[in-house]
Amino acid sequence: YRALYSKLSDPSMLSGRQITLFFNLTYKAMKNDTDAIRVVALAKRLLHTAFHSSPSVVAASLFLVSEVMKYQTMLEKCFETALEGSFDSTKREPRAAFTDDGDCSLWEIALTAHHYHPTVQKFSSALGEIKYDGDPLRDFALAPFLDKLAYRNPKSRERILKHIKRGESVAERRAGVENKLGSQAPLPMNDPSLLDEGHAIAADEEFFRKFFIERAKRDGIKGIT
């Protein structure tokens, strides 16, 4: 656990091809740990490092913490407390990071709640009760964002199956993956039906709706059809 705690402070562990395996390891270690205070220390250090990463990593970190809360009641208690906390992130031993075992609030969520990415904000407000069927590490990465902005159609079922290894990610939900692969491919973000404000869309897609609505208004003023 001390080795894992040390690795959580290394930004390189939250990037690259090993990130999925690392998140799986962290999730299993926190879920099965019998030391509740150590679990809180691991969660806090994970969030501290994730702050400086991409939105997909921040969202995945929040999702991981939310899932661990289902098994670690102390972590949920620390989320609900309003104490500022006395956490020394420089300590090598997780338990030694706290001066008081009862003073272990997750004040870090106050920062993620004001993150610029709408999904990170949404996950922060629903910590412990996050309902998401996908994988934040994949879904909120830069490539899917650029695909939507470039009006590219989603990958076919065959192409997705080539890249997905079932059970690889802690964020993967079996039902969610199967439903997505078996359902009709979603529409491109510039589809007229998605611009209707009465059409329900995900929080991270609100940006695209506003972008295309504003662009349509500007094109109308310029006489572009």
Side-chain angles (χ1 to χ4, degrees), residues 111-218:
L111 298 180
T112 59
H114 294 87
H115 196 276
Y116 67 87
H117 197 285
T119 300
V120 174
Q121 296 179 19
K122 184 177 180 180
F123 279 10
S124 299
S125 63
L127 203 65
E129 300 178 350
I130 297 176
K131 296 180 180 179
Y132 188 70
D133 292 331
D135 183 350
L137 288 173
R138 292 192 180 100
D139 299 342
F140 306 123
L142 181 60
F145 175 85
L146 295 177
D147 282 352
K148 292 178 181 178
L149 199 60
Y151 323 146
R152 287 175 55 181
N153 291 324
K155 294 180 179 179
S156 66
R157 184 178 190 277
E158 291 72 20
R159 291 181 62 192
I160 294 176
L161 286 173
K162 289 181 180 180
H163 291 84
I164 290 182
K165 294 182 180 179
R166 294 297 303 280
E168 178 183 88
S169 171
V170 65
E172 178 186 308
R173 289 289 181 271
R174 177 176 299 177
V177 172
E178 290 179 348
N179 288 339
K180 287 182 179 180
L181 295 181
S183 61
Q184 184 178 1
L187 296 171
M189 287 309 303
N190 62 331
D191 188 277
S193 63
L194 295 180
L195 302 184
D196 183 3
E197 295 186 358
H199 191 287
I201 60 175
D204 63 297
E205 295 177 341
E206 186 62 34
F207 164 81
F208 296 98
R209 170 180 283 172
K210 292 180 180 179
F211 173 82
F212 288 116
I213 289 177
E214 291 299 320
R215 196 188 71 165
K217 291 179 181 179
R218 292 195 299 270

Side-chain angles (χ1 to χ4, degrees), residues 2-224:
R2 179 180 291 183
L4 175 61
Y5 187 66
S6 175
K7 284 297 183 181
L8 284 172
S9 64
D10 183 359
S12 65
M13 297 303 298
L14 299 186
S15 62
R17 300 180 62 181
Q18 82 288 341
I19 185 172
T20 298
L21 294 175
F22 184 64
F23 266 70
N24 269 333
L25 173 64
T26 303
Y27 169 73
K28 292 177 180 178
M30 294 174 65
K31 173 186 174 182
N32 298 309
D33 195 354
T34 57
D35 190 330
I37 296 300
R38 185 166 55 198
V39 171
V40 177
L42 291 169
K44 291 174 75 68
R45 177 163 279 193
L46 170 62
L47 293 174
H48 285 192
T49 307
F51 286 156
H52 308 285
S53 302
S54 64
S56 61
V57 174
V58 182
S61 299
L62 289 170
F63 186 59
L64 186 153
V65 172
S66 179
E67 290 296 292
V68 172
M69 278 185 177
K70 297 177 181 179
Y71 305 93
Q72 299 286 353
T73 56
M74 183 66 176
L75 191 58
E76 183 177 5
K77 176 184 176 183
C78 291
F79 169 61
E80 295 173 349
T81 183
L83 296 174
E84 182 179 351
S86 54
F87 178 72
D88 186 353
S89 60
T90 64
K91 298 293 186 180
R92 297 178 60 186
E93 173 61 42
R95 285 195 61 89
F98 296 100
T99 57
D100 183 358
D101 287 354
D103 186 9
C104 55
S105 66
L106 284 177
W107 55 264
E108 294 82 1
I109 304 304
L111 298 180
T112 59
H114 294 87
H115 196 276
Y116 67 87
H117 197 285
T119 300
V120 174
Q121 296 179 19
K122 184 177 180 180
F123 279 10
S124 299
S125 63
L127 203 65
E129 300 178 350
I130 297 176
K131 296 180 180 179
Y132 188 70
D133 292 331
D135 183 350
L137 288 173
R138 292 192 180 100
D139 299 342
F140 306 123
L142 181 60
F145 175 85
L146 295 177
D147 282 352
K148 292 178 181 178
L149 199 60
Y151 323 146
R152 287 175 55 181
N153 291 324
K155 294 180 179 179
S156 66
R157 184 178 190 277
E158 291 72 20
R159 291 181 62 192
I160 294 176
L161 286 173
K162 289 181 180 180
H163 291 84
I164 290 182
K165 294 182 180 179
R166 294 297 303 280
E168 178 183 88
S169 171
V170 65
E172 178 186 308
R173 289 289 181 271
R174 177 176 299 177
V177 172
E178 290 179 348
N179 288 339
K180 287 182 179 180
L181 295 181
S183 61
Q184 184 178 1
L187 296 171
M189 287 309 303
N190 62 331
D191 188 277
S193 63
L194 295 180
L195 302 184
D196 183 3
E197 295 186 358
H199 191 287
I201 60 175
D204 63 297
E205 295 177 341
E206 186 62 34
F207 164 81
F208 296 98
R209 170 180 283 172
K210 292 180 180 179
F211 173 82
F212 288 116
I213 289 177
E214 291 299 320
R215 196 188 71 165
K217 291 179 181 179
R218 292 195 299 270
D219 289 348
I221 294 176
K222 297 178 181 178
I224 301 175

